[in-house]
Amino acid sequence: MNNNKPLDTPIVCKGLWKIFGANPKKILKEVDPTWSRTEVQEKTEHVIAVKDVSFQVERGETFVVMGLSGSGKSTLVRCISRLIEPTQGEVLVDGVDTVTMAEKDLIDLRRHKLSMVFQHFGLLPHRRVVENIAYGLEIRGMRRDERLKKAGEVLESVGLSGWGDNYPRELSGGMQQRVGLARALAVDPEIMLFDEPFSALDPLIRREMQDELLRLQSVVRKTMVFITHDFLEAIKMGDHIAIMKDGEFVQIGTPEEIVANPVDDYVRDFSEDVPRHKVLTVNSIMNRDCCSCSENETAANALALMDKHQSQAAFVVDQHRSYQGTLTRGQAMTNLESGSPMNQIVQQETAVSPDALIETLIGTATRINHPIPVVNSENKLLGAVDHRAILLAIEGS
Ligand code: ADP
Ligand code: MG
């Protein structure tokens, strides 16, 4: 196999098309780009399953492809491992185009670099759990004792210790999918492809499996492509999400970008169901023009600033805009006469990061009744979040 050194972008997909039908290459040349998928189907009896899709997946990230049933997600993910032959386009895995790859290299790629988890588990019914997990290692030619040892370790990591000798049918759906996950992990692949792995599971088990995969991913840091038709699952699992419709990507972005700025009604319809405070960060609601004052200011001037900003507090900063503490209206009033220096009267308070999710502010907001200061990693004051903005984010959910 081509031993190009690994790039930091293990998957690059360029201009990928998949057309099903008798003569896809011919249709690709002739098709009018303005025709809808239904029109193409009616006029040519071909289905455009994937239409000119381009994207890339960075190492260690989870890239989610989300769309309604029939939008082309399974076809797309199968084109990555070439279980389906693309009609046109490039799929670079670690810089090597799989579309033009020799069969031998392709087998090698599937054995060593990629592994896949399917919706319907795909376990071998006559093999015990531990042998199912060891299957990929067996194909690679690993010795029996070695592969069973490795399978046992992976079994433990997915929370199934003690179930190795059972047969798949003796396990619940959720447990069977844990086996599916373990089998994919056992070969220690660089890239994992998931095609709606949790869609067949009950909601509670499903949530448990999502949490389990997030936990595993925080340890193994694989490059993952995760397919789902569930927007909330996409938001929860994805570092980046691509929204797919009729074979095309209509939007790619972080969960926050997509929820905050859906490109069209199709995306908006999904994002409306999302509790915004669980997705949006402080950055999107903070007031950059908050009431800040210098540490050399008098209490009287600080009060005047608060009036101007209609704020219940002023955030005291030094000459480098480094956050020193919060001066409330009450403290300012008490100290009007004293003339005490600011650094003796302000109190240091929990400041939050602009990257924190809004929902993490709720606790702080119930404790204090003035805006919450926002600082960067160098403790520089960036702005403040008032309670109204938090409530609006929650109400807009
Ligand atoms: P999804 O996984 O998003 O539900 P699929 O990739 O399975 O979507 O299917 C995309 C479109 O391609 C659908 O219209 C489907 O009917 C069609 N399709 C999928 N596989 C085939 C096939 N082997 N032959 C013909 N049409 C297919
Ligand atoms: Mg599918």
Side-chain angles (χ1 to χ4, degrees):
M1 162 161 203
N2 190 334
N3 263 332
N4 278 11
K5 83 175 186 336
L7 305 173
D8 278 317
T9 311
I11 302 176
V12 179
C13 193
K14 290 186 203 163
L16 194 73
W17 289 75
K18 177 61 190 182
I19 301 178
F20 289 109
N23 203 342
K25 291 228 191 272
K26 178 165 164 280
I27 295 297
L28 179 60
K29 283 202 197 84
E30 291 171 1
V31 78
D32 182 332
T34 65
W35 289 354
S36 72
R37 187 150 86 164
T38 320
E39 279 176 292
V40 173
Q41 204 161 348
E42 280 166 2
K43 290 180 183 160
T44 70
E45 292 179 359
H46 284 68
V47 179
I48 302 190
V50 175
K51 185 175 177 184
D52 197 16
V53 163
S54 300
F55 65 99
Q56 57 187 53
V57 186
E58 303 304 330
R59 194 169 301 284
E61 80 160 328
T62 302
F63 186 90
V64 171
V65 180
M66 187 269 154
L68 297 178
S69 173
S71 55
K73 308 180 297 294
S74 292
T75 307
L76 175 65
V77 77
R78 281 172 172 73
C79 282
I80 296 178
S81 55
R82 235 178 92 194
L83 289 174
I84 288 179
E85 200 71 41
T87 308
Q88 184 175 292
E90 283 175 43
V91 179
L92 306 176
V93 173
D94 279 336
V96 183
D97 190 358
T98 62
V99 179
T100 52
M101 197 178 254
E103 191 62 27
K104 181 180 131 299
D105 292 338
L106 200 55
I107 290 171
D108 220 28
L109 178 88
R110 292 191 195 127
R111 278 189 193 163
H112 294 275
K113 221 171 235 189
L114 294 173
S115 64
M116 190 144 175
V117 181
F118 301 93
Q119 181 176 346
H120 295 292
F121 325 142
L123 303 178
L124 301 165
H126 304 299
R127 285 176 169 240
R128 292 177 305 138
V129 163
V130 72
E131 287 158 345
N132 263 282
I133 298 174
Y135 185 66
L137 300 171
E138 182 178 343
I139 289 189
R140 267 191 206 172
M142 189 186 270
R143 275 195 0 234
R144 185 177 158 81
D145 55 341
E146 245 182 278
R147 64 181 190 250
L148 291 184
K149 179 166 172 282
K150 171 79 183 166
E153 286 164 17
V154 183
L155 191 68
E156 202 177 317
S157 77
V158 299
L160 282 182
S161 310
W163 289 90
D165 289 337
N166 290 79
Y167 287 92
R169 63 171 183 279
E170 296 166 338
L171 274 57
S172 69
M175 289 161 84
Q176 288 188 46
Q177 193 57 304
R178 281 175 195 262
V179 179
L181 193 54
R183 179 185 51 188
L185 281 167
V187 295
D188 199 22
E190 266 176 53
I191 297 169
M192 298 181 80
L193 308 174
F194 296 85
D195 191 359
E196 307 219 25
F198 308 144
S199 295
L201 305 175
D202 293 338
L204 246 150
I205 307 290
R206 191 167 180 178
R207 213 170 309 147
E208 227 178 82
M209 291 300 292
Q210 292 165 350
D211 292 337
E212 181 76 16
L213 184 59
L214 285 173
R215 186 190 62 76
L216 278 167
Q217 170 66 332
S218 72
V219 180
V220 296
R221 284 272 147 219
K222 300 289 181 192
T223 304
M224 295 184 172
V225 178
F226 187 101
I227 305 289
T228 180
H229 66 261
D230 175 346
F231 191 72
L232 290 177
E233 183 167 83
I235 293 289
K236 182 170 175 180
M237 306 306 292
D239 295 306
H240 284 93
I241 300 172
I243 310 279
M244 198 169 190
K245 182 191 178 200
D246 292 343
E248 291 179 269
F249 277 5
V250 292
Q251 186 167 8
I252 303 182
T254 62
E256 183 173 23
E257 282 162 359
I258 287 178
V259 172
N261 298 305
V263 288
D264 63 11
D265 288 345
Y266 180 75
V267 186
R268 197 167 299 115
D269 274 353
F270 292 121
S271 61
E272 265 169 14
D273 294 340
V274 174
R276 298 171 75 80
H277 59 291
K278 290 183 189 287
V279 180
L280 299 188
T281 56
V282 164
N283 190 44
S284 66
I285 60 162
M286 72 178 177
N287 173 16
R288 282 161 219 277
D289 183 32
C290 67
C291 182
S292 64
C293 85
S294 138
E295 57 187 346
N296 303 318
E297 219 49 274
T298 63
N301 282 345
L303 262 181
L305 281 169
M306 286 183 227
D307 286 343
K308 186 171 153 239
H309 283 86
Q310 297 186 332
S311 176
Q312 291 304 310
F315 302 106
V316 178
V317 292
D318 67 9
Q319 74 266 35
H320 307 295
R321 219 178 153 68
S322 190
Y323 171 65
Q324 304 297 307
T326 300
L327 180 71
T328 63
R329 227 166 233 286
Q331 290 160 338
M333 301 287 263
T334 319
N335 286 281
L336 267 182
E337 307 292 315
S338 75
S340 310
M342 205 59 99
N343 59 8
Q344 283 177 20
I345 53 177
V346 297
Q347 78 198 36
Q348 269 283 350
E349 243 167 27
T350 337
V352 296
S353 146
D355 301 326
L357 290 177
I358 294 172
E359 70 170 346
T360 64
L361 264 56
I362 295 172
T364 312
T366 55
R367 279 199 314 279
I368 60 174
N369 54 12
H370 54 74
I372 303 166
V374 183
V375 301
N376 66 11
S377 55
E378 284 142 19
N379 199 38
K380 295 257 192 316
L381 183 72
L382 302 176
V385 177
D386 65 35
H387 290 47
R388 196 179 133 74
I390 299 174
L391 288 174
L392 282 173
I394 296 172
E395 189 200 44
S397 298

